[in-house]
Amino acid sequence: MMTIRAANGCSSVLRSPPPPPLRALRRLCFCPRAGTPRASSLAAAAAAALRCERTSSGHGGGGARRYCVHSLVESVIEEIRESRRRRHTCSASKMALTSSGELLEDKLVNRALQKGLLLEFKKDSEKVLLAVTQRPDGKKNWMVSDQNGVTSSIKPQQITFIVPGVENFDQKEISDFLQRAEDNLDPTLLEFAWVELLEKNKSVTAEELAEMIFGSSEPLESYCAHLFLSKDEIYFTVLEAKGSRRIYGPRPAAQVEEQMRRKLAREAAEKEIEEFVQLLTSAKLMPFPAKPRKSSWLTEEKIRKKIESLECYAIDACKNDEQRKLAGVILKAMGLTKTASSAMNLLVDIGYFPVHVNLDLLKLNIPTVHSEELISAAEILLSQSVDIDETERKDLTDLKVYAIDVDEADELDDALSATRLLDGRIKVWIHVADPARFVRPGSIVDREAMKRGTSIFLPTATYPMFPEKLAMEGMSLKQGEVCNAVSVSVVLHSDGSIAEFAVDNSIIKPTYMLTYESASELIHLNLEEEIELKILSEAAALRLRWRRQQGAIDTATLETRIKVPDPDEPEPEIKLYVEDQADPAMRLVSEMMILCGEVIASYGSQNNIPLPYRGQPQSNIDVSAFSHLPEGPVRSSALVRIMRAAEFDFGKPIRHGILGIPGYVQFTSPIRRYMDLLAHYQLKAFLQGESLPFSAGQLEGIASTVNMNARLAKKICNTSLRYWILEFLRRQPKEKKYHALILRFIKDRIAALLLVEVGLQASAWVSLGKDIGDEIVVRVEESHPRDDFLSLKEVI
């Protein structure tokens, strides 16, 4: 027995000059309550022995006195042995002999439930309570009253321990019982017991452990022993279990050492979490301008690891279970639910994320900056590249050149010129920026552009396909400066069809940089000095009429643009523009871009050049079936819903039914779209008389990756635009009214609407008597951009 071993150890100490370890002896002979008189008397005897030893050694009493003291201690030990032998003898009738002669009691027999028992049960996965049984509840369940005074029904499998030796326990005394149990818990006792049991390779029940360390298996001592064992993660493990009964065995020493190491590591980690939670709480309480910068959370390794786990949790991009678990622990410590939105809101509250963070950019891992290596390569191209087409470029600097785009455009890919020939026909030029003059297929700059697939234009920022300096200073067309270009010239028949065309490397000098608004105003003014713009507008009208005769389908609608200059501010300014695609300037530019695409397709076909030919078969659309719908957004919405997806062919042109042309290649945005750049690579090589860089099969392989990235970019643009429109609506006065066109009915009287003032499609219930194409007035009831939720109500 452990008490014997420890006492023998004390007797050896008594034979040496220093005073004995009193604390150890007292602890080992300690009985928690006076309710165990036998143990109490043993403790008194041990104390007497110690007092005797102290007196003897204080007077230099020599060997005789020490021998007397030693004998007294031995008598205490003998009494302990005798008391335990008596208890073992009393219980011998209930025990059986094993083959080795060891007594073995059936330790796993569960006590039958009856009224007045004191038991412990699991309330939930984390909470354990003490309760007194009251009455049966059905065949197996029991009604119990717990330590909090709550009466509930529990299942047998919820019971974790039945306190032995208790009958008719008063529920009001549970709190006092618990307090006395907590007062008696000294973790070092369990370690001594483990040493003893490990040496003898013996297992124990809670009652047996109580006998061992307290000298009694009374209710309080048995429950204390149960608490020791059930909460222990170091010294003991469950060997067998049946119902609420458990048999525990000592872990091997090596395993205990490992468990101890893990415990220390866990405690250190918990301390780190506690300190991190304090940092988070402090940052949450700070006013917005005073909150720590994002970079400050990333300087220290331990903090960076935790903040990154929260970021990954917020965007559902945890790299492993460990990172996911760490984020969950932090959220729980902060009193938050373990959800992505909780993590996101926490990161916003501490200033790590701006209020209007674009989670899609993070979730999809969209690159928003270029590497230093790429920027260096781009600067070398700017400073050292040679224009191999310089001697072959056609000088078109005498033409008046109009570049028309949105007012915040950073990269200008295209510009237009026009003149009227002596025979009355119109000749137009579509001048396209020449990035292939700098970038070669397979170069580091080209590979990064291919990986991105497109520039991304968001309300909050632009993420260019090429490094900004290269795109802006080298590739982009600039007003009043001589610029390299690829110019597509087209002569039109009087009906708008193509009479002749040419494709040339060129130099141009853009005359005007116009916004769509200013270009439309100039067209409307019909100024004599801007006759070229009038000719362009006339050419666009001819082309539109001709394409409609070829079966083109007009899908012009409202288009929304938003600019947010300071997106990191909690309440940034939102600049919203709604443009009608049927606007004269927008029609002009659109028609010229389509014309250029048709010419490039024809040029590629004539010269057997593999290109990304784009088509859209539309053999089943009867436009006349939609003639009853108002022309514009309502009719366009109905037509778009039944259109088939675009198709590609890389060897020959395919008809583009929506545009009403025999073939089409996107060519006019090579700084912004990689598919356009591919077409430039092919045509430039052909014009230079060199072998083409890509076969049709290679183009198809590249296109599959590029188009996938382009679709992701489009999704991000659309969701970001919608977010900021909803944020714009959220800020408007509640009484503000909006005009809405009924596009279609979704179900019963729930209709799809187009909010005219903001260019947003939404849905709402509309009153009887309203039909598709009608305009109604609505009011915004609720707008929650983060949840993509908008509630509208018709104003009747």
Side-chain angles (χ1 to χ4, degrees):
M1 289 294 179
M2 179 196 72
T3 314
I4 297 172
R5 185 185 64 81
N8 284 334
C10 289
S11 66
S12 67
V13 174
L14 289 169
R15 290 192 291 270
S16 62
L22 305 181
R23 179 171 170 270
L25 185 56
R26 284 173 182 160
R27 180 184 297 125
L28 294 171
C29 297
F30 169 72
C31 177
R33 293 292 169 204
T36 54
R38 181 182 297 110
S40 181
S41 63
L42 296 180
L50 293 169
R51 284 195 298 274
C52 177
E53 189 279 336
R54 216 165 21 242
T55 304
S56 300
S57 58
H59 292 82
R65 289 190 184 94
R66 286 180 183 153
Y67 178 76
C68 178
V69 172
H70 176 66
S71 299
L72 181 56
V73 173
E74 288 294 344
S75 69
V76 172
I77 293 170
E78 184 57 36
E79 186 175 348
I80 292 171
R81 287 182 181 140
E82 182 59 31
S83 68
R84 288 182 176 167
R85 273 197 297 272
R86 286 197 297 271
R87 285 194 294 275
H88 280 242
T89 302
C90 290
S91 60
S93 60
K94 302 178 184 177
M95 306 174 79
L97 285 171
T98 64
S99 57
S100 61
E102 180 186 358
L103 291 173
L104 177 63
E105 185 179 5
D106 186 0
K107 303 174 182 180
L108 294 176
V109 174
N110 284 279
R111 185 176 178 183
L113 291 179
Q114 62 186 54
K115 183 178 179 181
L117 296 185
L118 181 62
L119 57 80
E120 182 188 80
F121 74 97
K122 263 195 170 184
K123 178 74 173 175
D124 51 43
S125 60
E126 297 179 355
K127 198 171 187 180
V128 175
L129 299 174
L130 270 182
V132 176
T133 52
Q134 299 296 336
R135 63 183 185 278
D137 182 33
K139 291 183 178 180
K140 296 183 179 181
N141 297 355
W142 270 78
M143 298 298 294
V144 299
S145 296
D146 66 34
Q147 63 201 58
N148 300 318
V150 177
T151 300
S152 59
S153 177
I154 65 170
K155 299 175 181 179
Q157 54 265 40
Q158 288 179 260
I159 300 172
T160 53
F161 188 69
I162 300 175
V163 180
V166 172
E167 292 181 359
N168 300 318
F169 197 89
D170 187 348
Q171 183 270 337
K172 295 176 183 177
E173 295 181 4
I174 296 179
S175 296
D176 180 61
F177 183 87
L178 272 173
Q179 186 59 54
R180 287 192 292 153
E182 291 293 335
D183 291 344
N184 288 342
L185 295 181
D186 183 350
T188 55
L189 295 175
L190 198 63
E191 183 179 358
F192 290 129
W194 169 74
V195 171
E196 184 70 27
L197 291 169
L198 184 64
E199 286 179 359
K200 297 191 175 183
N201 192 27
K202 296 190 74 173
S203 59
V204 288
T205 62
E207 293 88 338
E208 290 169 340
L209 183 67
E211 283 279 1
M212 187 173 184
I213 62 178
F214 298 124
S216 168
S217 57
E218 294 296 313
L220 182 63
E221 286 71 26
S222 293
Y223 186 61
C224 287
H226 162 71
L227 290 178
F228 272 137
L229 292 167
S230 63
K231 294 181 178 181
D232 173 57
E233 298 176 351
I234 305 296
Y235 299 106
F236 290 88
T237 185
V238 176
L239 298 179
E240 293 183 73
K242 184 177 180 182
S244 62
R245 301 289 295 165
R246 303 281 188 276
I247 296 176
Y248 298 85
R251 297 179 189 269
Q255 197 175 109
V256 167
E257 185 178 349
E258 175 62 19
Q259 292 293 102
M260 189 68 77
R261 186 192 64 78
R262 290 180 182 179
K263 181 184 177 184
L264 293 173
R266 186 168 60 252
E267 288 173 350
E270 287 171 356
K271 185 179 179 182
E272 281 187 20
I273 292 293
E274 184 180 342
E275 293 172 350
F276 184 65
V277 165
Q278 290 175 356
L279 285 176
L280 295 175
T281 304
S282 175
K284 281 183 69 174
L285 296 174
M286 293 179 182
F288 178 77
K291 290 184 186 293
R293 293 182 177 273
K294 181 177 181 178
S295 58
S296 68
W297 294 95
L298 303 175
T299 52
E300 190 178 333
E301 171 72 17
K302 292 180 180 179
I303 295 176
R304 181 180 59 79
K305 182 179 178 182
K306 294 174 183 62
I307 205 78
E308 286 180 350
S309 75
L310 285 173
E311 180 176 352
C312 291
Y313 200 90
I315 62 175
D316 195 24
C318 289
K319 299 170 185 174
N320 47 52
D321 288 340
E322 181 185 354
Q323 193 175 54
R324 188 177 293 103
K325 183 179 178 182
L326 176 59
V329 168
I330 295 168
L331 291 172
K332 182 181 177 182
M334 290 294 294
L336 302 172
T337 56
K338 295 179 184 179
T339 61
S341 60
S342 292
M344 190 276 294
N345 290 330
L346 175 59
L347 292 171
V348 168
D349 289 343
I350 66 171
Y352 183 81
F353 278 168
V355 174
H356 302 286
V357 59
N358 190 328
L359 292 179
D360 285 333
L361 281 176
L362 301 173
K363 287 179 180 179
L364 299 174
N365 198 28
I366 301 299
T368 56
V369 295
H370 289 95
S371 67
E372 290 298 325
E373 181 185 15
L374 198 77
I375 291 171
S376 297
E379 289 181 348
I380 291 172
L381 288 177
L382 276 173
S383 61
Q384 299 181 7
S385 65
V386 176
D387 181 16
I388 61 175
D389 301 312
E390 184 176 4
T391 58
E392 303 298 324
R393 291 190 183 275
K394 182 174 286 189
D395 188 346
L396 301 177
T397 54
D398 60 320
L399 294 175
K400 184 180 284 188
V401 177
Y402 298 89
I404 306 172
D405 210 329
V406 294
D407 56 359
E408 68 273 7
D410 296 320
E411 310 155 349
L412 289 173
D413 292 274
D414 52 75
L416 306 170
S417 300
T419 189
R420 194 178 301 276
L421 301 178
L422 295 176
D423 59 7
R425 292 183 301 172
I426 293 174
K427 182 175 183 178
V428 298
W429 287 264
I430 302 99
H431 311 288
V432 184
D434 186 11
R437 168 248 190 278
F438 293 97
V439 184
R440 297 288 181 267
S443 65
I444 181 175
V445 176
D446 170 73
R447 292 196 304 272
E448 179 64 21
M450 182 193 300
K451 180 181 174 183
R452 292 175 180 243
T454 179
S455 294
I456 298 178
F457 300 93
L458 302 181
T460 52
T462 297
Y463 303 110
M465 186 170 74
F466 289 112
E468 185 175 358
K469 189 174 181 181
L470 176 63
M472 292 292 295
E473 295 183 14
M475 299 174 175
S476 180
L477 302 179
K478 293 177 283 293
Q479 182 178 5
E481 295 184 22
V482 175
C483 304
N484 293 324
V486 177
S487 294
V488 176
S489 59
V490 190
V491 177
L492 298 176
H493 287 301
S494 58
D495 65 352
S497 61
I498 297 173
E500 55 187 80
F501 62 80
V503 179
D504 299 288
N505 290 307
S506 65
I507 54 172
I508 61 170
K509 190 174 183 180
T511 314
Y512 296 117
M513 297 293 190
L514 302 175
T515 65
Y516 286 112
E517 294 85 352
S518 58
S520 291
E521 187 176 347
L522 283 175
I523 292 170
H524 177 71
L525 290 173
N526 196 20
L527 299 175
E528 189 62 34
E529 56 268 30
E530 300 301 335
I531 187 65
E532 294 85 355
L533 189 60
K534 181 181 179 181
I535 295 171
L536 279 170
S537 181
E538 183 182 337
L542 287 175
R543 286 291 300 170
L544 177 60
R545 185 167 61 248
W546 179 83
R547 287 195 306 106
R548 285 176 173 171
Q549 291 170 355
Q550 311 307 309
I553 298 173
D554 189 4
T555 58
T557 186
L558 301 181
E559 185 175 68
T560 307
R561 287 190 298 111
I562 285 183
K563 291 302 290 182
V564 184
D566 300 300
D568 289 346
E569 294 295 321
E571 291 282 322
E573 179 187 6
I574 300 174
K575 299 178 180 179
L576 185 145
Y577 312 89
V578 178
E579 297 163 339
D580 187 348
Q581 291 177 339
D583 171 85
M586 295 196 83
R587 284 280 196 197
L588 187 159
V589 173
S590 176
E591 287 300 326
M592 293 302 103
M593 299 305 105
I594 293 170
L595 175 60
C596 181
E598 183 183 353
V599 168
I600 295 299
S602 298
Y603 189 84
S605 177
Q606 287 179 6
N607 296 287
N608 296 315
I609 304 173
L611 292 170
Y613 297 100
R614 188 184 183 98
Q616 200 166 21
Q618 295 297 333
S619 56
N620 300 325
I621 296 181
D622 180 8
V623 179
S624 63
F626 299 89
S627 60
H628 65 287
L629 297 176
E631 191 174 359
V634 177
R635 187 185 296 179
S636 295
S637 173
L639 289 167
V640 167
R641 282 175 55 80
I642 61 172
M643 288 180 181
R644 291 162 58 184
E647 299 176 0
F648 281 92
D649 191 299
F650 300 91
K652 62 183 185 303
I654 51 177
R655 176 171 171 76
H656 201 300
I658 298 298
L659 299 181
I661 54 179
Y664 181 66
V665 174
Q666 287 185 319
F667 190 76
T668 58
S669 297
I671 306 177
R672 311 179 190 190
R673 293 191 302 241
Y674 192 80
M675 293 297 288
D676 295 45
L677 182 63
L678 281 178
H680 275 248
Y681 284 151
Q682 297 290 87
L683 253 68
K684 292 277 291 182
F686 179 81
L687 290 173
Q688 293 162 1
E690 297 178 356
S691 58
L692 303 181
F694 304 108
S695 66
Q698 289 172 320
L699 285 177
E700 185 174 4
I702 295 169
S704 64
T705 301
V706 172
N707 286 332
M708 180 180 67
N709 292 338
R711 284 192 293 271
L712 285 178
K714 186 176 181 180
K715 177 186 175 183
I716 290 172
C717 292
N718 290 341
T719 54
S720 180
L721 180 64
R722 182 175 174 84
Y723 175 93
W724 285 104
I725 295 175
L726 293 182
E727 175 65 13
F728 177 85
L729 292 173
R730 185 188 68 82
R731 299 187 193 178
Q732 304 309 303
K734 290 291 184 183
E735 64 276 8
K736 186 171 181 178
K737 299 173 183 178
Y738 301 87
H739 296 89
L741 292 172
I742 299 177
L743 301 177
R744 67 183 186 280
F745 284 97
I746 301 169
K747 183 181 180 182
D748 299 329
R749 299 305 299 173
I750 299 175
L753 307 175
L754 176 65
L755 298 183
V756 176
E757 286 88 348
V758 294
L760 177 72
Q761 288 196 25
S763 62
W765 185 92
V766 299
S767 56
L768 290 170
K770 301 296 183 182
D771 204 352
I772 296 174
D774 289 346
E775 185 176 287
I776 62 172
V777 177
V778 297
R779 188 174 58 244
V780 175
E781 295 282 288
E782 290 183 79
S783 180
H784 302 293
R786 186 61 68 189
D787 300 322
D788 191 23
F789 178 78
L790 178 65
S791 175
L792 302 174
K793 186 176 182 179
E794 182 184 9
V795 178
I796 301 175

